[in-house]
PDB file of all heavy atoms in Angstrom:
ATOM      1  N   SER O  13      22.369  -8.299 -50.538  1.00 98.00           N
ATOM      2  CA  SER O  13      21.532  -9.457 -50.837  1.00 98.00           C
ATOM      3  C   SER O  13      20.096  -9.128 -50.426  1.00 98.00           C
ATOM      4  O   SER O  13      19.719  -7.955 -50.423  1.00 98.00           O
ATOM      5  CB  SER O  13      22.102 -10.688 -50.125  1.00 98.00           C
ATOM      6  OG  SER O  13      21.414 -11.857 -50.520  1.00 98.00           O
ATOM      7  N   ALA O  15      18.321  -8.814 -47.716  1.00 98.00           N
ATOM      8  CA  ALA O  15      18.072  -7.815 -46.676  1.00 98.00           C
ATOM      9  C   ALA O  15      18.655  -6.454 -47.054  1.00 98.00           C
ATOM     10  O   ALA O  15      17.973  -5.420 -46.945  1.00 98.00           O
ATOM     11  CB  ALA O  15      18.660  -8.293 -45.343  1.00 98.00           C
ATOM     12  N   ASP O  36      29.640  -4.880 -50.699  1.00 98.00           N
ATOM     13  CA  ASP O  36      29.602  -6.348 -50.649  1.00 98.00           C
ATOM     14  C   ASP O  36      30.958  -6.913 -51.053  1.00 98.00           C
ATOM     15  O   ASP O  36      31.574  -6.454 -52.007  1.00 98.00           O
ATOM     16  CB  ASP O  36      28.509  -6.920 -51.555  1.00 98.00           C
ATOM     17  CG  ASP O  36      28.106  -8.317 -51.119  1.00 98.00           C
ATOM     18  OD1 ASP O  36      28.968  -9.233 -51.173  1.00 98.00           O
ATOM     19  OD2 ASP O  36      26.954  -8.507 -50.693  1.00 98.00           O
ATOM     20  N   LYS O  37      31.371  -7.920 -50.324  1.00 98.00           N
ATOM     21  CA  LYS O  37      32.682  -8.515 -50.619  1.00 98.00           C
ATOM     22  C   LYS O  37      32.647  -9.327 -51.916  1.00 98.00           C
ATOM     23  O   LYS O  37      33.688  -9.630 -52.492  1.00 98.00           O
ATOM     24  CB  LYS O  37      33.127  -9.403 -49.453  1.00 98.00           C
ATOM     25  CG  LYS O  37      32.243 -10.611 -49.234  1.00 98.00           C
ATOM     26  CD  LYS O  37      32.762 -11.460 -48.102  1.00 98.00           C
ATOM     27  CE  LYS O  37      31.869 -12.681 -47.951  1.00 98.00           C
ATOM     28  NZ  LYS O  37      32.340 -13.665 -47.025  1.00 98.00           N
ATOM     29  N   ARG O  45      20.059 -15.638 -53.779  1.00 98.00           N
ATOM     30  CA  ARG O  45      20.658 -16.927 -53.406  1.00 98.00           C
ATOM     31  C   ARG O  45      19.755 -18.131 -53.682  1.00 98.00           C
ATOM     32  O   ARG O  45      20.252 -19.189 -54.047  1.00 98.00           O
ATOM     33  CB  ARG O  45      21.064 -16.919 -51.929  1.00 98.00           C
ATOM     34  CG  ARG O  45      22.276 -16.073 -51.735  1.00 98.00           C
ATOM     35  CD  ARG O  45      22.980 -16.195 -50.432  1.00 98.00           C
ATOM     36  NE  ARG O  45      24.366 -15.882 -50.667  1.00 98.00           N
ATOM     37  CZ  ARG O  45      24.803 -14.678 -51.013  1.00 98.00           C
ATOM     38  NH1 ARG O  45      23.962 -13.689 -51.148  1.00 98.00           N
ATOM     39  NH2 ARG O  45      26.088 -14.473 -51.238  1.00 98.00           N
ATOM     40  N   LYS O  50      19.110 -24.274 -57.539  1.00 97.00           N
ATOM     41  CA  LYS O  50      18.053 -24.686 -58.490  1.00 97.00           C
ATOM     42  C   LYS O  50      18.500 -24.294 -59.894  1.00 97.00           C
ATOM     43  O   LYS O  50      19.253 -25.025 -60.532  1.00 97.00           O
ATOM     44  CB  LYS O  50      16.735 -24.002 -58.094  1.00 97.00           C
ATOM     45  CG  LYS O  50      16.399 -24.203 -56.606  1.00 97.00           C
ATOM     46  CD  LYS O  50      15.356 -23.221 -56.116  1.00 97.00           C
ATOM     47  CE  LYS O  50      15.062 -23.356 -54.643  1.00 97.00           C
ATOM     48  NZ  LYS O  50      15.738 -22.436 -53.756  1.00 97.00           N
ATOM     49  N   VAL O  84      34.053  -5.758 -45.828  1.00 98.00           N
ATOM     50  CA  VAL O  84      34.374  -5.011 -44.607  1.00 98.00           C
ATOM     51  C   VAL O  84      35.301  -5.852 -43.740  1.00 98.00           C
ATOM     52  O   VAL O  84      34.978  -6.997 -43.419  1.00 98.00           O
ATOM     53  CB  VAL O  84      33.081  -4.674 -43.835  1.00 98.00           C
ATOM     54  CG1 VAL O  84      33.412  -4.061 -42.482  1.00 98.00           C
ATOM     55  CG2 VAL O  84      32.218  -3.752 -44.652  1.00 98.00           C
ATOM     56  N   ARG O 132      26.726 -21.486 -51.060  1.00 98.00           N
ATOM     57  CA  ARG O 132      26.235 -20.238 -50.449  1.00 98.00           C
ATOM     58  C   ARG O 132      26.390 -19.049 -51.402  1.00 98.00           C
ATOM     59  O   ARG O 132      25.587 -18.152 -51.412  1.00 98.00           O
ATOM     60  CB  ARG O 132      27.003 -19.969 -49.151  1.00 98.00           C
ATOM     61  CG  ARG O 132      26.527 -18.768 -48.354  1.00 98.00           C
ATOM     62  CD  ARG O 132      25.283 -19.073 -47.534  1.00 98.00           C
ATOM     63  NE  ARG O 132      24.568 -17.861 -47.182  1.00 98.00           N
ATOM     64  CZ  ARG O 132      23.417 -17.833 -46.532  1.00 98.00           C
ATOM     65  NH1 ARG O 132      22.851 -18.953 -46.126  1.00 98.00           N
ATOM     66  NH2 ARG O 132      22.800 -16.695 -46.262  1.00 98.00           N
ATOM     67  N   ASP O 285      19.596 -12.842 -42.390  1.00 98.00           N
ATOM     68  CA  ASP O 285      20.073 -14.080 -41.761  1.00 98.00           C
ATOM     69  C   ASP O 285      21.035 -13.836 -40.596  1.00 98.00           C
ATOM     70  O   ASP O 285      21.168 -14.676 -39.710  1.00 98.00           O
ATOM     71  CB  ASP O 285      20.805 -14.952 -42.797  1.00 98.00           C
ATOM     72  CG  ASP O 285      19.861 -15.660 -43.757  1.00 98.00           C
ATOM     73  OD1 ASP O 285      18.676 -15.302 -43.797  1.00 98.00           O
ATOM     74  OD2 ASP O 285      20.322 -16.574 -44.474  1.00 98.00           O
ATOM     75  N   HIS O 301      15.475 -17.268 -44.041  1.00 97.00           N
ATOM     76  CA  HIS O 301      14.811 -17.360 -45.336  1.00 97.00           C
ATOM     77  C   HIS O 301      14.530 -15.998 -45.940  1.00 97.00           C
ATOM     78  O   HIS O 301      14.609 -14.963 -45.287  1.00 97.00           O
ATOM     79  CB  HIS O 301      13.579 -18.262 -45.304  1.00 97.00           C
ATOM     80  CG  HIS O 301      12.545 -17.845 -44.328  1.00 97.00           C
ATOM     81  ND1 HIS O 301      12.396 -18.433 -43.116  1.00 97.00           N
ATOM     82  CD2 HIS O 301      11.612 -16.890 -44.403  1.00 97.00           C
ATOM     83  CE1 HIS O 301      11.395 -17.859 -42.477  1.00 97.00           C
ATOM     84  NE2 HIS O 301      10.913 -16.928 -43.227  1.00 97.00           N
ATOM     85  N   TRP O 330       9.585 -21.038 -49.201  1.00 98.00           N
ATOM     86  CA  TRP O 330       9.358 -22.030 -50.260  1.00 98.00           C
ATOM     87  C   TRP O 330      10.633 -22.823 -50.508  1.00 98.00           C
ATOM     88  O   TRP O 330      11.732 -22.396 -50.146  1.00 98.00           O
ATOM     89  CB  TRP O 330       8.906 -21.361 -51.555  1.00 98.00           C
ATOM     90  CG  TRP O 330      10.039 -20.862 -52.401  1.00 98.00           C
ATOM     91  CD1 TRP O 330      10.601 -21.492 -53.462  1.00 98.00           C
ATOM     92  CD2 TRP O 330      10.782 -19.639 -52.248  1.00 98.00           C
ATOM     93  NE1 TRP O 330      11.637 -20.732 -53.981  1.00 98.00           N
ATOM     94  CE2 TRP O 330      11.773 -19.594 -53.245  1.00 98.00           C
ATOM     95  CE3 TRP O 330      10.722 -18.565 -51.351  1.00 98.00           C
ATOM     96  CZ2 TRP O 330      12.672 -18.540 -53.393  1.00 98.00           C
ATOM     97  CZ3 TRP O 330      11.621 -17.525 -51.493  1.00 98.00           C
ATOM     98  CH2 TRP O 330      12.580 -17.519 -52.501  1.00 98.00           C
TER      99      TRP O 330
HETATM  100  C1  LIG E   1      21.573 -22.243 -51.938  1.00 73.10           C
HETATM  101  C2  LIG E   1      20.497 -21.511 -51.196  1.00 73.10           C
HETATM  102  C3  LIG E   1      19.156 -21.715 -51.517  1.00 73.10           C
HETATM  103  C4  LIG E   1      18.150 -21.048 -50.821  1.00 73.10           C
HETATM  104  N1  LIG E   1      16.848 -21.279 -51.161  1.00 73.10           N
HETATM  105  C5  LIG E   1      15.868 -20.616 -50.512  1.00 73.10           C
HETATM  106  C6  LIG E   1      14.505 -20.815 -50.865  1.00 73.10           C
HETATM  107  O1  LIG E   1      14.180 -21.611 -51.761  1.00 73.10           O
HETATM  108  N2  LIG E   1      13.559 -20.121 -50.195  1.00 73.10           N
HETATM  109  C7  LIG E   1      13.878 -19.219 -49.211  1.00 73.10           C
HETATM  110  O2  LIG E   1      12.968 -18.601 -48.632  1.00 73.10           O
HETATM  111  N3  LIG E   1      15.164 -19.021 -48.843  1.00 73.10           N
HETATM  112  C8  LIG E   1      16.156 -19.691 -49.471  1.00 73.10           C
HETATM  113  N4  LIG E   1      17.464 -19.484 -49.117  1.00 73.10           N
HETATM  114  C9  LIG E   1      17.763 -18.573 -48.004  1.00 73.10           C
HETATM  115  C10 LIG E   1      17.869 -17.128 -48.497  1.00 73.10           C
HETATM  116  O3  LIG E   1      18.619 -17.067 -49.669  1.00 73.10           O
HETATM  117  C11 LIG E   1      18.514 -16.308 -47.398  1.00 73.10           C
HETATM  118  O4  LIG E   1      17.667 -16.332 -46.279  1.00 73.10           O
HETATM  119  C12 LIG E   1      18.736 -14.874 -47.835  1.00 73.10           C
HETATM  120  O5  LIG E   1      19.627 -14.835 -48.915  1.00 73.10           O
HETATM  121  C13 LIG E   1      19.305 -14.074 -46.686  1.00 73.10           C
HETATM  122  O6  LIG E   1      19.579 -12.803 -47.134  1.00 73.10           O
HETATM  123  P1  LIG E   1      20.580 -11.865 -46.361  1.00 73.10           P
HETATM  124  O7  LIG E   1      20.568 -10.581 -47.127  1.00 73.10           O
HETATM  125  O8  LIG E   1      20.254 -11.826 -44.937  1.00 73.10           O
HETATM  126  O9  LIG E   1      22.015 -12.597 -46.421  1.00 73.10           O
HETATM  127  P2  LIG E   1      22.822 -13.273 -47.582  1.00 73.10           P
HETATM  128  O10 LIG E   1      21.958 -13.649 -48.730  1.00 73.10           O
HETATM  129  O11 LIG E   1      23.655 -14.314 -46.950  1.00 73.10           O
HETATM  130  O12 LIG E   1      23.780 -12.110 -48.087  1.00 73.10           O
HETATM  131  C14 LIG E   1      24.781 -11.572 -47.297  1.00 73.10           C
HETATM  132  C15 LIG E   1      25.678 -10.728 -48.174  1.00 73.10           C
HETATM  133  O13 LIG E   1      26.654 -10.120 -47.349  1.00 73.10           O
HETATM  134  C16 LIG E   1      27.898 -10.177 -47.991  1.00 73.10           C
HETATM  135  N5  LIG E   1      28.949 -10.113 -46.959  1.00 73.10           N
HETATM  136  C17 LIG E   1      29.211 -11.016 -45.982  1.00 73.10           C
HETATM  137  N6  LIG E   1      30.244 -10.602 -45.223  1.00 73.10           N
HETATM  138  C18 LIG E   1      30.638  -9.398 -45.731  1.00 73.10           C
HETATM  139  C19 LIG E   1      31.663  -8.465 -45.394  1.00 73.10           C
HETATM  140  N7  LIG E   1      32.495  -8.662 -44.369  1.00 73.10           N
HETATM  141  N8  LIG E   1      31.777  -7.347 -46.143  1.00 73.10           N
HETATM  142  C20 LIG E   1      30.933  -7.114 -47.190  1.00 73.10           C
HETATM  143  N9  LIG E   1      29.972  -7.966 -47.559  1.00 73.10           N
HETATM  144  C21 LIG E   1      29.811  -9.088 -46.836  1.00 73.10           C
HETATM  145  C22 LIG E   1      27.880 -11.503 -48.737  1.00 73.10           C
HETATM  146  O14 LIG E   1      28.797 -11.500 -49.816  1.00 73.10           O
HETATM  147  C23 LIG E   1      26.432 -11.566 -49.200  1.00 73.10           C
HETATM  148  O15 LIG E   1      26.237 -11.016 -50.473  1.00 73.10           O
HETATM  149  C24 LIG E   1      18.492 -20.147 -49.787  1.00 73.10           C
HETATM  150  C25 LIG E   1      19.836 -19.931 -49.451  1.00 73.10           C
HETATM  151  C26 LIG E   1      20.835 -20.604 -50.150  1.00 73.10           C
HETATM  152  C27 LIG E   1      22.276 -20.378 -49.777  1.00 73.10           C
END
Side-chain angles (χ1 to χ4, degrees):
S13 187
D36 202 296
K37 65 178 182 172
R45 287 193 152 67
K50 309 163 183 98
V84 173
R132 185 80 201 176
D285 284 13
H301 58 259
W330 85 98

